[in-house]
């Protein structure tokens, strides 16, 4: 009898939780966590490229100390933030993380632009390989960020909607911070450098030599 009552109570509780959106909240929360993990993986991939990129540039452009220092400091700032799953439940910590990543993106863009002034650096195969890896990583970051944005939007909509908002309040499931910039596409675009130089304009053709004067007539 006790087992039957316990089973019945569990079935009723499951039906209530399902009907009030609890299961949807849990499912969407897991989607947000998975999307966030992918964001972190791609940002870490980028951070891992920075030391080799800085060292390669330094080999050809050691005098660009300011730009090299900016990139190194930006990477250190990113590394100082513990990107744990709990970070996505802390709006202030999330904002610091986002600001640090934006700072690194900006510093990397300036570092790549330095290569324009150093032909030997531009032609270095190692530099070109690192640049290609960085651009590919930036593309993957943009995709991962977009998936996270969509996952959080879905979750936050459920948290705010009735009657699931009551369930969210009961289980202390708050809205999660999201990437919010004035121009998301511009920020997430990978830094690129066009190493191609326009072909020099052809030199103007020399003016034709003047025709020789006619010989004077003889008498």
């Amino acid at each position: 009898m006790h087992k039957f009552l316990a089973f019945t109570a569990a079935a009723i509780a499951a039906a209530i939780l399902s009907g009030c959106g609890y299961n949807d909240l849990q499912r969407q929360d897991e989607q947000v966590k998975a999307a966030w993990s992918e964001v972190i993986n791609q940002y870490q991939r980028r951070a891992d490229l920075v030391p080799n990129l800085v060292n390669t540039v330094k080999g050809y452009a050691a005098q660009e100390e300011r730009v090299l220092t900016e990139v190194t400091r930006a990477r250190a700032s990113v590394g100082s933030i513990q990107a744990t799953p709990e970070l996505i439940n802390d709006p202030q910590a999330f904002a610091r993380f986002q600001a640090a990543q934006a700072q690194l993106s900006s510093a990397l863009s300036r570092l790549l632009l330095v290569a324009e002034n150093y032909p030997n650096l531009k032609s270095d195969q190692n530099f070109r390989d690192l640049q290609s890896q960085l651009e590919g990583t930036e593309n993957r970051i943009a995709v991962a960020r977009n998936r996270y944005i969509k996952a959080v939007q879905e979750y936050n909509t459920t948290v705010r909607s009735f009657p699931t908002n009551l369930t969210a309040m009961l289980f202390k499931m708050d809205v999660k911070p999201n990437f919010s910039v004035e121009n998301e596409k511009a920020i997430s675009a990978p830094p690129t450098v066009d190493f191609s130089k326009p072909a020099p304009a052809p030199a103007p053709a020399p003016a034709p030599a003047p025709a020789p004067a006619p010989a004077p007539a003889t008498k």
Side-chain angles (χ1 to χ4, degrees):
M1 184 64 179
H2 291 293
K3 290 184 179 180
F4 175 77
L5 292 176
F7 176 80
T8 303
I12 294 173
I16 292 174
L17 290 175
S18 178
C20 66
Y22 178 82
N23 290 342
D24 288 338
L25 286 168
Q26 293 298 322
R27 174 181 56 80
Q28 292 169 9
D29 184 58
E30 290 301 319
Q31 289 176 344
V32 170
K33 291 177 181 177
W36 176 247
S37 295
E38 184 60 22
V39 170
I40 295 303
N41 287 340
Q42 298 306 331
Y43 273 133
Q44 184 60 50
R45 181 194 298 267
R46 179 174 71 172
D48 291 342
L49 290 172
V50 170
N52 287 337
L53 186 60
V54 168
N55 288 333
T56 301
V57 173
K58 187 184 298 184
Y60 292 90
Q63 62 271 31
E64 301 288 349
E65 183 178 355
R66 182 181 61 82
V67 178
L68 294 168
T69 301
E70 285 179 357
V71 175
T72 302
R73 287 178 177 173
R75 184 185 184 275
S77 178
V78 166
S80 68
I81 299 175
Q82 297 296 320
T84 61
E86 289 73 22
L87 187 146
I88 58 177
N89 296 317
D90 185 341
Q92 293 182 344
F94 187 90
R96 289 194 297 271
F97 173 85
Q98 185 180 5
Q101 294 293 349
Q103 181 183 12
L104 179 56
S105 294
S106 179
L108 283 171
S109 295
R110 289 191 293 274
L111 181 67
L112 292 178
L113 288 173
V114 163
E116 283 293 336
N117 299 321
Y118 300 92
N120 290 338
L121 173 59
K122 291 192 297 183
S123 62
D124 181 82
Q125 186 60 46
N126 187 43
F127 176 78
R128 288 186 173 276
D129 290 344
L130 288 169
Q131 183 204 12
S132 178
Q133 293 178 53
L134 179 61
E135 290 179 346
T137 300
E138 293 286 356
N139 284 325
R140 286 190 286 269
I141 287 174
V143 172
R145 281 165 59 106
N146 188 53
R147 288 175 178 168
Y148 175 81
I149 288 169
K150 291 181 178 178
V152 172
Q153 286 176 341
E154 182 181 7
Y155 172 84
N156 286 349
T157 298
T158 303
V159 167
R160 291 191 177 108
S161 300
F162 182 83
T164 51
N165 63 330
L166 302 177
T167 305
M169 286 188 291
L170 178 64
F171 290 95
K172 297 181 180 180
M173 302 177 73
D174 298 325
V175 295
K176 299 182 184 296
N178 209 343
F179 289 106
S180 56
V181 294
E182 184 174 348
N183 189 340
E184 173 66 26
K185 290 183 179 180
I187 293 297
S188 61
T192 58
V193 178
D194 185 5
F195 288 154
S196 61
K197 294 292 186 182
T218 57
K219 296 184 179 179

